[in-house]
Amino acid sequence: MFVTIARPAVEPQGPDTVAVPGSPSITELTPRALHARLLENAALRRMRGVERLRSNRLEDADYWLHAAPVAVRKASALREERSFAPLP
């Protein structure tokens, strides 16, 4: 029995080759965009923790509620590391 490797129908083109053909390219975020994404991540973690508390899943809630400040600290460290103009 012979086994052949089939090539995917869509091939990545250009300098940005990604793991899955057809998926969007990964762009380098600006410091401000990365800061916003980290703060959004912290808010989502906090909301997930509150949701778990309401579901009476205390261990999950503890994890998510303790993970939220970590994302805020990362965002704060990013502002200190890459000094960009303060937000209005």
Side-chain angles (χ1 to χ4, degrees):
M1 180 164 113
F2 295 100
V3 177
T4 61
I5 298 173
R7 302 204 45 91
V10 178
E11 292 284 336
Q13 295 179 355
D16 185 26
T17 57
V18 292
V20 180
S23 66
S25 62
I26 299 170
T27 58
E28 192 70 31
L29 294 176
T30 64
R32 191 174 294 261
L34 183 57
H35 183 261
R37 184 175 285 179
L38 287 170
L39 290 180
E40 179 188 20
N41 190 359
L44 290 173
R45 289 176 181 195
R46 176 94 174 116
M47 289 186 334
R48 193 171 292 133
V50 171
E51 175 188 313
R52 297 300 197 267
L53 269 178
R54 289 184 188 144
S55 301
N56 204 23
R57 296 173 61 185
L58 301 179
E59 290 179 4
D60 285 348
D62 284 343
Y63 170 78
W64 289 111
L65 291 174
H66 286 91
V70 172
V72 172
R73 275 187 245 123
K74 284 183 180 180
S76 176
L78 176 71
R79 283 191 76 83
E80 292 172 7
E81 176 187 323
R82 299 181 187 178
S83 60
F84 50 93
L87 298 171

